[in-house]
Each structure stands twice: as structure tokens, then as C-alpha cells.
Amino acid sequence: MQYIINAAFFINIFIYDINFYITHILLHKYAYHIHTIHHDSYNILSWRTTYKAHIIENILQNYVFLVLYMYGSKHIILAYLYISIRGLLNHEPRCRFIFNNHHINHHKYRNCNYGEYYIDYLCNTLHNYDTDQQEKLPKTLQ
């Protein structure tokens, strides 16, 4: 039973990550005028900008929690808590020691790093870290 509980938790996170990646790319390619609200804060990027987005974007990227809940996922609240904390840390430059510059580089270049590191790696949308060091970040992000 314990293994089923743990598996359900990680499956919920994986489903969210796939949904986020797909909707994030679609927003960049077809609805950037909506997504630009989130990206216009690059020079003041911090944990406070995690959910700074258009209402349509927040619905598109989070409706999966409602769907999983309706299908009886008992672990969706823990998964949502984990994903929310991960999102806050991904946008906080002071937490680069945890996530490197993965999502911060997405805000810098806007054509890479659309999701979590493992998905970007598998989908070939990962930024080449060898060509970008942390020292090249704007002074407000160092």
C-alpha cells in the first residue's frame, strides 16, 4: 500500500509537469501576449513573480489539479504543495544552488527551459549551460 501512495504522489507531479511544459510552449508560440505578463518581470525576478501571470495562463497551467482531484487522487494536495514550493524556488535567484539557473535562464532567453530540467532534456529544449555562467546574470539577480 505504501508504494501505491508514493507512486500516486509522483504520478500527479509528472502529469502536472507534462501539462505545464505543453501549455508553456503553446503560450510562447501562440499566445505570448498573454504570457508576457509573467515575463515582463525578468529584471526583478523573485519568488513573488511565480504566480504573476494572466488569469488564462494560471487556469491553463493549473486546471490539471482539478481534473486529478475529480478523478479521486488522494495525493493531489501534497503534490500541489510540493509543486508550489518548487515554483517559488525556481523563480528565486537566491535559490540557484538548488536549481542552478534552469528557470532563470528561461526568463533570460525565452526560447528554452520551458519546464522542469528532465523534460527539457528529453524534449531537446534545454539551454546549453556551458555557454552561460551565473556571472552573466543581471546585477539584480546576483
Side-chain angles (χ1 to χ4, degrees), residues 28-131:
H28 271 262
K29 293 191 183 291
Y30 303 109
Y32 195 73
H33 61 285
I34 291 173
H35 190 54
T36 193
I37 293 171
H38 179 70
H39 273 276
D40 70 0
S41 59
Y42 171 66
N43 287 324
I44 54 168
L45 196 63
S46 78
W47 62 270
R48 293 182 300 262
T49 60
T50 304
Y51 294 107
K52 181 183 173 207
H54 195 282
I55 184 87
I56 293 172
E57 178 176 354
N58 282 327
I59 291 170
L60 285 174
Q61 292 182 337
N62 291 294
Y63 79 93
V64 70
F65 290 115
L66 180 60
V67 172
L68 290 170
Y69 179 77
M70 289 177 10
Y71 280 98
S73 177
K74 305 286 189 244
H75 303 91
I76 197 62
I77 294 173
L78 287 176
Y80 181 75
L81 180 62
Y82 169 80
I83 289 166
S84 294
I85 292 169
R86 182 181 69 185
L88 294 169
L89 295 176
N90 272 332
H91 285 86
E92 179 55 63
R94 292 174 290 187
C95 294
R96 289 183 302 210
F97 66 94
I98 299 172
F99 295 106
N100 199 331
N101 285 349
H102 185 72
H103 192 74
I104 294 171
N105 275 336
H106 169 71
H107 279 262
K108 183 176 181 181
Y109 297 108
R110 301 181 187 203
N111 64 348
C112 60
N113 299 4
Y114 294 104
E116 291 304 308
Y117 187 93
Y118 73 96
I119 295 177
D120 285 312
Y121 177 81
L122 293 172
C123 296
N124 201 28
T125 54
L126 186 64
H127 176 69
N128 183 356
Y129 288 102
D130 294 334
T131 61

Side-chain angles (χ1 to χ4, degrees), residues 130-142:
D130 294 334
T131 61
D132 186 62
Q133 300 299 318
Q134 290 180 356
E135 293 81 25
K136 294 182 181 178
L137 290 171
K139 290 184 180 180
T140 56
L141 296 180
Q142 293 181 4

